[in-house]
Amino acid sequence: MRAVRLSLLAATAVAALTAVTGCTEKGNSGDSDRVIDVTATDSKCEVSKKEFPAGHVELAIENKGSKVTEVYVLFPDDRIVTERENIGPGTKQKVTAEVKAGDYTIACKPGMKGDGIRQAVKATGGTAAKRDPRLDSAVAAYRQYAQEQADATLPLAKTFAAAVKAGDLEAAKKAYAPSRIGWERTEPVAESFGDIDPKVDVRADGLEAGQKWTGWHRLEKSLWQDKKITAEDKTLADQLITDLTDWQKRVGKADITPTSMANGAKELLDEVATGKVTGEEERYSHTDLVDFKANVEGAEKSYELLKPVAQENDAALVTELDKQFAALNTLLDKYRADKTSYDFTSYDKVGDADRKQLSDGVNALAEPLSKLAAAVVTKSS
Amino acid sequence: MTDTEKTTAPSRRALIGWGGAGLALGAAAAGGAVAMTRTGDDLAPTAAEAGAAVEFHGAHQAGIATPVQDRLHFAAFDVTTEDRAEFVRMLKDWTAAARRMTAGKAVGEGAYGGLAEAPPDDTGEALGLKPSRLTLTIGFGPSLFEKFDLADRRPEALVDLPQFAGDALDKNRSGGDLCVQACADDPQVAVHAIRNLARIGFGKVVIKWSQLGFGKTSSTTPDEQTPRNLMGFKDGTRNIAGTETDRLKKFVWVDSKDAKDAAWMAGGSYLVARRIRMHIETWDRTSLQEQEDIFGRDKGEGAPVGKAKERDKPFLPAMKPDAHVRLAHPDSNGGATILRRGYSFTDGTDGLGRLDAGLFFLAYMKDVREGFIRIQRHLATDALNEYIQHVGSAVFAVPPGVRDQDDWWGSTLFSKEA
C-alpha cells in the first residue's frame, strides 16, 4: 500500500497535488481561496466565503451543533456535486470537489433530514482544472454510455410495464430483471440526480416516513410475494415509465468528472457488497445476480475508460484490477449456463459458502478499485 | 525509501516493556521489573503498563510468553491467491503494518491528511489510543502446507487434531490456512489491528472465522492473581510464566534440535485454539459442592482440595478421580505442560435464550502431540465435560519472531534459502 502511494507521489506534479488538497500554487490566488470553511450547527450553515475560483475546492466542515449532520454541494437543479454524510457533533471533516464556474448551493442537513439549510455560492473565473485530454474523452465516452444504457432500458421497461398492465403475471416476472440492467450499470449517475432513485429503485426498508412506495421493488413484491397484480400496480407501472423517461432525458446532462467516474465504479461494487451479496435487493424475485453482473459491468466500463491514465500513474493497480475483474466475472459465470444471457441462478439457491465466495470476490475487487480515483486525479490538473 | 525506514522505526522505546529485539530471553527476565510495579492482588495493569508498547521484534513472536493482555481479537484466514510471490508480498505488508500498529502508530501514511480522493491507509479508530500492549502473532495452519508446494516443509509436530470425545465441531469456526492473534488492553486496538490486516489482505486472503475475547482466563505473570473463567473458578494457577525460561525452553519454544524436519520453526511454537462453549445455565444451577468437586479447587481462594492457599501444591489423590485439576495436571500426564492464553467470550444468545458463552482456549506448546493431544485425551473422563462442549478447533505452526526491520513474518518458511 505504501509503495503504491509513494509511486503516486513521485508521479505527481506539485501543481496537481496542491490542487487535490485544495490549495493552489504559491503566487497564484493563494491557498485560502480554495478552502471554504463550513460551520454547521442545528440551525445554521455558515460559509466563510460565497465566491471562490472554479477548479478544485475544499470544504472544511465543522459540526458545532448537537445533531449528526451532512453537507452537500449542489447544482442549481439539486444534482449532487459532492456530499459528506455522518458528520458527528463536534467533529471536523474535509471534502473536496472539482467545480466549474457557475452557481452552486451548499446545504447542511442537521439530523440528516429534509432539504437542509442552504447557502448560495458561486464559482468564478476560468481557472477550472486543466485536464488530461484523455480524461475528457473518457468522460465523454462515459456520458455516451450512460445515455445508451438509459435509451436501451426504456423499451425493456415498457415491455415490463405492459405485462403488468395486461395483468400477465408470468410475462411481467420474465420482463422484470432485464428491465433493470441498464439502470444498475449506471446507477451512480442516476443517483446523482437525487430525486429519481427514491422513486424507481427504493426498497420497503428504505422508505422515509410519509413516502409512498413506488417503482420496481414495489411491483416485485406484488409479482412474487402477493402473486397478483392490482389496479394500483398498473398505475405504478405507468409511473415507473414516467420516472424512467425523466431519467433518460436528464442523464446526458449529468455532471461527470474523472473522479466521479472512478468513485462511481467503486460505488457500484459497494452496492453489490451491501445489497446484492446479502440477497436484500431482490428479496422477492431473487434476481440479485442479474443486478450484480450489471453493477460489475458498469464499474468495468468506467474503469476501462480511465485505464490509460491509471496505467501511467499506477501500473500495479491496473494489473491488480484487471486480475480481480476477471476473477469476479469468472466466478459470476458459474451461475449462468450461457455466457451471453442474463439468466442467472436464483439467489435463494445460492448457498452460504457460495455467497461468501462471491462476497470475498467483491472485496478483492472493491479494495483496489477504491484507489482508482487517486490514480486518475494525480494527473488530472 | 529512506523515508519509509525512518517512519517505521520505533520511536517510543522508553515505553517498551518485555522482549527487547534480539534478546528475548534476557528481556523476559528484565520484564520482571514491569511486573514488580504491581502489588499483590492488583489484577488490572497500571495505566503506564496498559498503555505501553510491547517490542515487536525478537527471537520469539510477542503474544506468547509476554504478559497476557485483557482483550483478544483472533482471526483465522483462508488463502485465496495461488501466487506465492503475491502471498509473500502480503506477509511483508502485514509485517510492516504490524510493526507500526504494535508501536501505537497508524498503518501506512495514516488515517487522514493523504490524498483526498483515496481512502486513507489506516481506518482510524485507534487514533489517539495508546499502544495498549498490542501484540500480533501469526500462525500457519496445516492446510497452508498443501498450498505453494510446501507439503515437505510441514513440521511433524503440526498434526491434525484427532476427534476427541464430546467434540461438536462447527466447520465454520474451525481450521484456517493462517491465523493472527491480536491481544491488547483496549479492545478497540485489537479490533483495529485485525481489521486493517484483513483489508491489506483482500484479494489474497479472506477471513474464515474470528473470535473476540475478554477477561483473560490465564496469566503468564505469576505474581498476578490467577484470573477466573466464566464458571467463576481460578484455573491455570501453575501456568508457565513469561519469566520461567527453563519451562519455556522445555515446553513451549521449538529449538533447532527439535526441528529436524522443520528447521524453519526454531524459535517458534505450536498453537491450539479451541472454542469451548460453557453450558452456563446448568452450571449455575449446580451446587457449590459439586462445582468445587468438579474442579478440585475451592471457589473462593482457589486452593486445591485439602489445602489452604491457591498456590499450595495440589495433592491429587485427595481429589475425585474425574476432577478437572487432577486430570489436567502435569503429574497425571507424564509431565505434559502447555502455556495457556485463553479468553472468555460471549457472543450474545444462541436462539434458545441461552448465553452463547465460554472459553476461547489458546495454548502454545513445543509439540502438539505431547502437549494438547495428550492432555485432552486424558480429559475424556473430566467431570467438567458435562458442562462444556468444544465447538471450534484449529491448530497452527507459529513461526519464530521477526528479528529486525528487514525481517518479516514467515521469512524462515518462505525464503528461498531456508
Side-chain angles (χ1 to χ4, degrees):
Chain A
M1 75 227 118
R2 167 164 275 269
V4 168
R5 186 59 59 85
L6 284 174
S7 67
L8 278 181
L9 292 177
T12 304
V14 174
L17 185 66
T18 50
V20 166
T21 52
C23 311
T24 50
E25 285 175 273
K26 283 198 176 68
N28 241 338
S29 44
D31 290 3
S32 59
D33 279 8
R34 292 183 180 275
V35 180
I36 305 168
D37 295 318
V38 180
T39 309
T41 69
D42 295 347
S43 57
K44 285 184 181 160
C45 184
E46 292 171 350
V47 295
S48 62
K49 59 175 72 75
K50 298 200 171 176
E51 280 199 15
F52 49 87
H56 273 93
V57 294
E58 175 181 312
L59 303 187
I61 305 159
E62 181 168 14
N63 182 3
K64 291 189 173 173
S66 64
K67 295 176 183 166
V68 177
T69 193
E70 55 192 3
V71 172
Y72 288 83
V73 179
L74 302 166
F75 289 104
D77 63 355
D78 270 10
R79 277 177 295 133
I80 299 163
V81 180
T82 187
E83 63 176 312
R84 182 58 48 95
E85 296 177 319
N86 284 314
I87 306 168
T91 62
K92 295 178 181 178
Q93 292 265 346
K94 283 182 181 174
V95 49
T96 58
E98 192 182 313
V99 295
K100 293 175 181 155
D103 293 322
Y104 296 88
T105 300
I106 290 176
C108 306
K109 294 191 185 177
M112 313 225 298
K113 291 256 189 281
D115 287 342
I117 306 157
R118 294 173 168 230
Q119 290 281 357
V121 294
K122 186 187 278 286
T124 56
T127 55
K130 200 172 65 198
R131 272 207 295 271
D132 184 325
R134 289 174 301 175
L135 290 176
D136 287 330
S137 347
V139 167
Y142 186 73
R143 188 186 307 284
Q144 192 189 340
Y145 172 75
Q147 187 66 59
E148 284 165 6
Q149 293 305 313
D151 293 347
T153 294
L154 220 61
L156 294 168
K158 283 178 177 165
T159 305
F160 171 63
V164 171
K165 288 172 76 178
D168 188 339
L169 204 64
E170 285 315 307
K173 280 181 166 182
K174 202 160 165 255
Y176 171 76
S179 76
R180 294 175 44 75
I181 292 171
W183 171 271
E184 289 289 330
R185 281 180 184 147
T186 57
E187 205 168 352
V189 176
E191 282 178 347
S192 74
F193 301 128
D195 57 338
I196 300 177
D197 184 66
K199 288 189 220 162
V200 304
D201 199 27
V202 70
R203 303 192 305 251
D205 43 89
L207 292 171
E208 289 177 24
Q211 185 186 345
K212 185 175 187 290
W213 190 14
T214 59
W216 271 303
H217 295 300
R218 176 68 194 81
L219 294 166
E220 181 204 358
K221 178 169 180 288
S222 295
L223 298 175
W224 273 274
Q225 176 146 310
D226 307 339
K227 298 187 173 62
K228 58 172 188 259
I229 294 168
T230 64
E232 200 204 344
D233 290 334
K234 294 178 183 177
T235 315
L236 287 173
D238 279 333
Q239 182 65 44
L240 178 65
I241 298 306
T242 306
D243 293 334
L244 290 176
T245 307
D246 183 26
W247 164 55
Q248 184 202 17
K249 281 185 188 145
R250 284 159 70 183
V251 73
K253 291 179 226 142
D255 198 70
I256 299 168
T257 64
T259 47
S260 78
M261 280 173 65
N263 285 326
K266 181 198 75 89
E267 283 161 23
L268 283 167
L269 268 290
D270 292 346
E271 289 271 334
V272 175
T274 52
K276 276 76 173 186
V277 147
T278 56
E280 286 169 85
E281 176 85 18
E282 305 288 1
R283 62 191 66 172
Y284 314 109
S285 66
H286 308 299
T287 54
D288 302 86
L289 287 175
V290 182
D291 295 9
F292 190 147
K293 178 68 181 174
N295 284 157
V296 173
E297 285 174 338
E300 201 163 4
K301 180 71 183 183
S302 284
Y303 165 61
E304 290 296 340
L305 291 170
L306 296 170
K307 195 164 156 179
V309 175
Q311 174 75 46
E312 231 165 67
N313 290 337
D314 192 345
L317 180 68
V318 166
T319 306
E320 180 67 14
L321 286 171
D322 282 343
K323 183 178 138 190
Q324 297 299 347
F325 266 116
L328 190 56
N329 280 322
T330 303
L331 190 56
L332 278 169
D333 282 341
K334 281 173 54 184
Y335 297 93
R336 56 178 177 179
D338 172 1
K339 285 178 194 169
T340 60
S341 93
Y342 282 81
D343 290 331
F344 281 89
T345 306
S346 179
Y347 205 56
D348 58 340
K349 304 282 193 297
V350 178
D352 287 346
D354 290 331
R355 287 185 183 200
K356 179 171 190 295
Q357 197 182 23
L358 286 163
S359 175
D360 290 338
V362 170
N363 279 330
L365 172 58
E367 188 66 22
L369 199 53
S370 72
K371 300 184 172 85
L372 180 60
V376 171
V377 82
T378 48
K379 281 272 180 95
S380 72
S381 41
Chain B
M1 282 296 161
T2 49
D3 177 56
T4 309
E5 281 149 28
K6 207 186 307 169
T7 53
T8 53
S11 67
R12 296 190 220 171
R13 287 203 177 273
L15 287 174
I16 287 167
W18 286 56
L23 38 96
L25 291 179
V34 175
M36 268 162 57
T37 60
R38 218 186 281 271
T39 55
D41 284 349
D42 179 15
L43 197 58
T46 64
E49 270 175 64
V54 177
E55 174 61 64
F56 178 70
H57 299 122
H60 312 296
Q61 290 195 67
I64 303 172
T66 45
V68 182
Q69 307 88 323
D70 205 51
R71 301 291 183 141
L72 169 80
H73 190 187
F74 186 94
F77 295 83
D78 276 337
V79 175
T80 51
T81 182
E82 289 167 5
D83 180 342
R84 177 183 168 125
E86 186 176 54
F87 182 65
V88 166
R89 254 196 319 279
M90 188 207 74
L91 289 174
K92 290 177 177 174
D93 287 346
W94 268 16
T95 309
R99 191 178 276 133
R100 288 188 63 85
M101 291 191 287
T102 53
K105 296 175 185 173
V107 175
E109 294 189 343
Y112 58 90
L115 284 176
E117 279 74 7
D121 285 348
D122 185 275
T123 54
E125 73 273 27
L127 287 178
L129 301 178
K130 292 179 174 160
S132 307
R133 299 196 298 169
L134 172 69
T135 54
L136 293 167
T137 315
I138 197 170
F140 301 132
S143 50
L144 183 74
F145 294 87
E146 290 159 23
K147 303 185 176 177
F148 308 127
D149 289 329
L150 289 169
D152 58 334
R153 320 231 18 209
R154 176 173 167 175
E156 242 180 69
L158 182 70
V159 291
D160 294 306
L161 295 180
Q163 172 86 20
F164 295 104
D167 277 3
L169 303 181
D170 175 355
K171 65 177 172 34
N172 294 320
R173 295 187 191 276
S174 299
D177 292 336
L178 68 161
C179 72
V180 178
Q181 169 197 284
C183 299
D185 291 313
D186 184 329
Q188 184 126 336
V189 170
V191 169
H192 168 265
I194 294 294
R195 174 179 170 191
N196 281 274
L197 294 181
R199 204 177 155 209
I200 293 166
F202 279 138
K204 280 82 78 179
V205 296
V206 299
I207 289 193
K208 182 175 166 72
W209 55 272
S210 81
Q211 183 68 53
L212 290 171
F214 63 92
K216 61 184 173 187
T217 59
S218 44
S219 161
T220 52
T221 39
D223 52 339
E224 271 188 59
Q225 180 180 300
T226 305
R228 290 175 189 271
N229 59 26
L230 286 184
M231 288 172 157
F233 275 79
K234 295 180 182 179
D235 189 22
T237 297
R238 277 291 285 144
N239 198 23
I240 302 174
T243 47
E244 291 182 281
T245 48
D246 290 350
R247 287 219 292 167
L248 286 171
K249 193 169 183 315
K250 188 165 176 196
F251 296 113
V252 179
W253 304 130
V254 176
D255 62 39
S256 45
K257 282 207 305 293
D258 305 315
K260 282 185 231 44
D261 59 317
W264 65 272
M265 272 295 286
S269 190
Y270 295 95
L271 166 64
V272 171
R274 306 276 285 185
R275 187 176 191 270
I276 305 174
R277 174 87 189 270
M278 291 176 179
H279 302 310
I280 297 282
E281 291 77 11
T282 53
W283 175 258
D284 292 347
R285 289 194 282 267
T286 304
S287 73
L288 176 62
Q289 184 63 55
E290 189 180 341
Q291 289 187 4
E292 293 187 337
D293 284 348
I294 286 170
F295 270 94
R297 289 183 181 276
D298 77 47
K299 199 162 186 175
E301 164 65 23
V305 172
K307 302 287 176 135
K309 289 289 177 195
E310 183 197 341
R311 289 176 198 288
D312 290 349
K313 189 172 164 46
F315 180 61
L316 301 179
M319 297 174 186
K320 299 226 160 168
D322 58 358
H324 179 67
V325 167
R326 180 169 177 168
L327 291 172
H329 198 277
D331 291 355
S332 305
N333 292 284
T337 303
I338 52 181
L339 183 154
R340 274 169 293 166
R341 276 185 82 94
Y343 287 83
S344 293
F345 71 84
T346 173
D347 293 336
T349 52
D350 66 355
L352 297 171
R354 305 178 302 185
L355 205 55
D356 181 4
L359 170 68
F360 190 66
F361 172 97
L362 292 167
Y364 288 88
M365 64 212 78
K366 181 182 274 213
D367 189 316
V368 176
R369 297 162 295 188
E370 293 303 308
F372 180 76
I373 292 178
R374 182 162 189 171
I375 297 168
Q376 188 60 23
R377 281 222 165 101
H378 199 232
L379 289 175
T381 56
D382 190 352
L384 196 56
N385 290 344
E386 192 179 334
Y387 300 96
I388 61 173
Q389 192 165 39
H390 289 234
V391 294
S393 176
V395 58
F396 300 96
V398 176
V402 174
R403 293 183 310 273
D404 53 36
Q405 292 286 335
D406 299 322
D407 195 14
W408 42 279
W409 268 337
S411 63
T412 58
L413 175 59
F414 286 95
S415 283
K416 289 268 190 288
E417 71 275 15

